Amino acid sequence: DIPTNQVYRVAYNPNNPQLYYGGLQDNGSTGGNRSSISTWERIFGGDGFQMDFKPGDPNIYYAEYQNGNIWQYAKGSWDAFSNGIKGSKNWDFPYMLSRHNPSKMLAGSNRVYANPSDTGAHFVAISPDLTVPARYPSRSGPSITSLDESPLDDRVIIAGTINGNVWRTYNYDQGWEDVSSGLPVAYISSVKCSYVNSTHFYVTLSGHRGNDFNAYVYKTTDGGKSWNSIHGDLPRLPVYDILVYPHRNDSVLIAGNHLGVYATTDGGQHWRRVGDDMPFIEVFDLAINEKQNTLAAATYGKSIMSFPIGNILRTVVSTDPSEESVSFTAFPNPASDKLHISHSWPNSKQEALQFQIIRQDGRQMMKGILENRTGSTIVIDHLQPGSYYLFLEGRKQAFRFAKL
């Protein structure tokens, strides 16, 4: 009954949207919700990974255990559903139902495979071997780690590999191009397509296996000919997944990293940690429950946690342009014992502002209220030396300062 499962992948059931599902380390696949927290159903065995559900048909869904063993539940029974997939398969094998035809499935070993119908598994390869040439050393057989199909065009597919490659096609089973150049040399942890332009893509990478703990989040607007870093002020820690929120012109991005969940509403310039009550823990996978308008996070040690999407848009990373009228400066920088804040806000009904001080690794160190309309002082002598961020209510942009 203690929620300490190590969750690799998270999903929700569009046919029964109050239910969430997770693939667990050593404990198979399971599903349930908060109201039945002690009675979640064990659905499948092995090391659990991705589950997926056919929208509009509650009688067809999928579970997976390690190394690409996909099974389909249909007509009241389970059957293996990976016939035809060959080559090296990742421990956390990626597959997805097509956004355009949920009877079709895409999957990735060292090649991308497609299965046209859910009446049986007859996968055929639609890409070359995407793991060559290798850019980054792999501890297991070279394989695809992440893939995505464009929500705008079912011919557009992107895939990333364990050994640092990113490939994409605009023509389904033809014209695959290696677009890795310009990206750091690291494990590709997530690839995503844009909701506004079929030449825009997002990639996250992790170099922690090589003792590289930087935050790598990249975007291309020219199909991968060039890449721009959008990690902004994310903590310098590995990023494992990224989601593109579908309703804000790609300006809202959500990332799972080594410490939890972070979100941006300005396309990656500034990021904020999502929620006050999530522990500092690895988050490997994220999903948006569109029916419930919630974000679900697969944590590696605290099971599945959810958060209202509306709170991300409205509060955690405010998108109200009028709130930008709050202005402030802080000094001195670096500071040793006190931080003096000069601030103002025009709302005559507002009598105080909330503030937070966040350590560079994402941990909240202080939280309080500034009541003076024109200036305040925050005592920081108890903080350890290092880099910190000061956030004021009503401001998207943080003030970074050094504590001596």
Side-chain angles (χ1 to χ4, degrees), residues 126-143:
I126 62 170
S127 82
D129 186 347
L130 306 187
T131 65
V132 293
R135 302 175 71 233
Y136 185 71
S138 58
R139 297 182 180 180
S140 57
S143 58

mmCIF file of all heavy atoms in Angstrom, residues 126-143:
data_model
loop_
_atom_site.group_PDB
_atom_site.id
_atom_site.type_symbol
_atom_site.label_atom_id
_atom_site.label_comp_id
_atom_site.label_asym_id
_atom_site.label_seq_id
_atom_site.Cartn_x
_atom_site.Cartn_y
_atom_site.Cartn_z
ATOM 1 N N ILE A 126 10.075 -0.118 -42.133
ATOM 2 C CA ILE A 126 9.848 1.037 -43.008
ATOM 3 C C ILE A 126 11.036 2.000 -42.969
ATOM 4 O O ILE A 126 10.955 3.097 -43.522
ATOM 5 C CB ILE A 126 8.546 1.776 -42.642
ATOM 6 C CG1 ILE A 126 8.608 2.337 -41.207
ATOM 7 C CG2 ILE A 126 7.336 0.871 -42.838
ATOM 8 C CD1 ILE A 126 7.449 3.292 -40.887
ATOM 9 N N SER A 127 12.130 1.598 -42.330
ATOM 10 C CA SER A 127 13.327 2.447 -42.291
ATOM 11 C C SER A 127 14.564 1.586 -42.453
ATOM 12 O O SER A 127 14.525 0.363 -42.234
ATOM 13 C CB SER A 127 13.408 3.211 -40.958
ATOM 14 O OG SER A 127 13.961 2.388 -39.940
ATOM 15 N N PRO A 128 15.686 2.201 -42.788
ATOM 16 C CA PRO A 128 16.954 1.474 -42.708
ATOM 17 C C PRO A 128 17.371 1.316 -41.252
ATOM 18 O O PRO A 128 16.662 1.729 -40.339
ATOM 19 C CB PRO A 128 17.909 2.394 -43.467
ATOM 20 C CG PRO A 128 17.347 3.764 -43.280
ATOM 21 C CD PRO A 128 15.848 3.576 -43.260
ATOM 22 N N ASP A 129 18.534 0.730 -41.048
ATOM 23 C CA ASP A 129 19.104 0.616 -39.704
ATOM 24 C C ASP A 129 19.499 2.013 -39.236
ATOM 25 O O ASP A 129 20.408 2.636 -39.791
ATOM 26 C CB ASP A 129 20.310 -0.312 -39.733
ATOM 27 C CG ASP A 129 20.882 -0.594 -38.352
ATOM 28 O OD1 ASP A 129 20.505 0.109 -37.379
ATOM 29 O OD2 ASP A 129 21.710 -1.511 -38.236
ATOM 30 N N LEU A 130 18.826 2.506 -38.195
ATOM 31 C CA LEU A 130 19.038 3.875 -37.727
ATOM 32 C C LEU A 130 20.149 3.984 -36.688
ATOM 33 O O LEU A 130 20.456 5.083 -36.224
ATOM 34 C CB LEU A 130 17.744 4.440 -37.137
ATOM 35 C CG LEU A 130 16.506 4.396 -38.027
ATOM 36 C CD1 LEU A 130 15.342 5.147 -37.371
ATOM 37 C CD2 LEU A 130 16.788 4.956 -39.413
ATOM 38 N N THR A 131 20.755 2.857 -36.338
ATOM 39 C CA THR A 131 21.793 2.883 -35.296
ATOM 40 C C THR A 131 23.197 3.026 -35.863
ATOM 41 O O THR A 131 24.167 3.038 -35.105
ATOM 42 C CB THR A 131 21.725 1.608 -34.437
ATOM 43 O OG1 THR A 131 22.034 0.468 -35.251
ATOM 44 C CG2 THR A 131 20.349 1.443 -33.823
ATOM 45 N N VAL A 132 23.321 3.135 -37.184
ATOM 46 C CA VAL A 132 24.640 3.314 -37.795
ATOM 47 C C VAL A 132 24.648 4.601 -38.595
ATOM 48 O O VAL A 132 23.639 4.976 -39.213
ATOM 49 C CB VAL A 132 25.000 2.115 -38.706
ATOM 50 C CG1 VAL A 132 25.200 0.866 -37.877
ATOM 51 C CG2 VAL A 132 23.927 1.870 -39.770
ATOM 52 N N PRO A 133 25.766 5.337 -38.527
ATOM 53 C CA PRO A 133 26.940 5.052 -37.683
ATOM 54 C C PRO A 133 26.673 5.453 -36.235
ATOM 55 O O PRO A 133 25.893 6.361 -35.967
ATOM 56 C CB PRO A 133 28.017 5.931 -38.300
ATOM 57 C CG PRO A 133 27.252 7.106 -38.851
ATOM 58 C CD PRO A 133 25.943 6.553 -39.351
ATOM 59 N N ALA A 134 27.338 4.792 -35.303
ATOM 60 C CA ALA A 134 27.161 5.091 -33.881
ATOM 61 C C ALA A 134 27.907 6.368 -33.512
ATOM 62 O O ALA A 134 29.075 6.537 -33.861
ATOM 63 C CB ALA A 134 27.661 3.934 -33.034
ATOM 64 N N ARG A 135 27.227 7.262 -32.780
ATOM 65 C CA ARG A 135 27.860 8.497 -32.306
ATOM 66 C C ARG A 135 28.202 8.416 -30.819
ATOM 67 O O ARG A 135 29.014 9.188 -30.319
ATOM 68 C CB ARG A 135 26.930 9.695 -32.516
ATOM 69 C CG ARG A 135 26.504 9.925 -33.938
ATOM 70 C CD ARG A 135 25.494 11.045 -34.038
ATOM 71 N NE ARG A 135 26.086 12.355 -33.788
ATOM 72 C CZ ARG A 135 25.636 13.229 -32.903
ATOM 73 N NH1 ARG A 135 24.606 12.926 -32.124
ATOM 74 N NH2 ARG A 135 26.210 14.412 -32.766
ATOM 75 N N TYR A 136 27.542 7.507 -30.089
ATOM 76 C CA TYR A 136 27.655 7.454 -28.629
ATOM 77 C C TYR A 136 27.707 5.989 -28.225
ATOM 78 O O TYR A 136 26.943 5.163 -28.751
ATOM 79 C CB TYR A 136 26.431 8.144 -28.007
ATOM 80 C CG TYR A 136 26.447 8.288 -26.497
ATOM 81 C CD1 TYR A 136 27.319 9.171 -25.868
ATOM 82 C CD2 TYR A 136 25.561 7.564 -25.700
ATOM 83 C CE1 TYR A 136 27.318 9.323 -24.498
ATOM 84 C CE2 TYR A 136 25.551 7.712 -24.322
ATOM 85 C CZ TYR A 136 26.429 8.580 -23.721
ATOM 86 O OH TYR A 136 26.427 8.737 -22.344
ATOM 87 N N PRO A 137 28.592 5.609 -27.300
ATOM 88 C CA PRO A 137 28.704 4.188 -26.934
ATOM 89 C C PRO A 137 27.447 3.677 -26.233
ATOM 90 O O PRO A 137 26.842 4.377 -25.426
ATOM 91 C CB PRO A 137 29.922 4.161 -26.002
ATOM 92 C CG PRO A 137 30.046 5.549 -25.478
ATOM 93 C CD PRO A 137 29.561 6.457 -26.569
ATOM 94 N N SER A 138 27.047 2.462 -26.550
ATOM 95 C CA SER A 138 25.883 1.845 -25.908
ATOM 96 C C SER A 138 26.323 0.626 -25.118
ATOM 97 O O SER A 138 27.219 -0.110 -25.536
ATOM 98 C CB SER A 138 24.839 1.447 -26.943
ATOM 99 O OG SER A 138 25.380 0.545 -27.889
ATOM 100 N N ARG A 139 25.652 0.414 -23.999
ATOM 101 C CA ARG A 139 26.006 -0.712 -23.133
ATOM 102 C C ARG A 139 25.319 -1.998 -23.564
ATOM 103 O O ARG A 139 25.628 -3.077 -23.071
ATOM 104 C CB ARG A 139 25.633 -0.390 -21.682
ATOM 105 C CG ARG A 139 26.401 0.786 -21.103
ATOM 106 C CD ARG A 139 26.032 1.021 -19.651
ATOM 107 N NE ARG A 139 26.763 2.149 -19.088
ATOM 108 C CZ ARG A 139 26.630 2.570 -17.832
ATOM 109 N NH1 ARG A 139 25.787 1.956 -17.008
ATOM 110 N NH2 ARG A 139 27.324 3.608 -17.397
ATOM 111 N N SER A 140 24.348 -1.880 -24.450
ATOM 112 C CA SER A 140 23.649 -3.045 -24.969
ATOM 113 C C SER A 140 23.585 -2.912 -26.484
ATOM 114 O O SER A 140 24.153 -1.984 -27.061
ATOM 115 C CB SER A 140 22.239 -3.126 -24.365
ATOM 116 O OG SER A 140 21.513 -1.944 -24.627
ATOM 117 N N GLY A 141 22.894 -3.819 -27.132
ATOM 118 C CA GLY A 141 22.792 -3.760 -28.575
ATOM 119 C C GLY A 141 22.195 -2.448 -29.044
ATOM 120 O O GLY A 141 21.223 -1.959 -28.459
ATOM 121 N N PRO A 142 22.756 -1.853 -30.088
ATOM 122 C CA PRO A 142 22.230 -0.572 -30.578
ATOM 123 C C PRO A 142 20.763 -0.690 -30.957
ATOM 124 O O PRO A 142 20.358 -1.632 -31.637
ATOM 125 C CB PRO A 142 23.106 -0.284 -31.799
ATOM 126 C CG PRO A 142 24.341 -1.089 -31.597
ATOM 127 C CD PRO A 142 23.906 -2.316 -30.875
ATOM 128 N N SER A 143 19.962 0.281 -30.522
ATOM 129 C CA SER A 143 18.517 0.178 -30.729
ATOM 130 C C SER A 143 17.877 1.557 -30.674
ATOM 131 O O SER A 143 18.472 2.527 -30.201
ATOM 132 C CB SER A 143 17.881 -0.727 -29.661
ATOM 133 O OG SER A 143 18.160 -0.224 -28.365
#
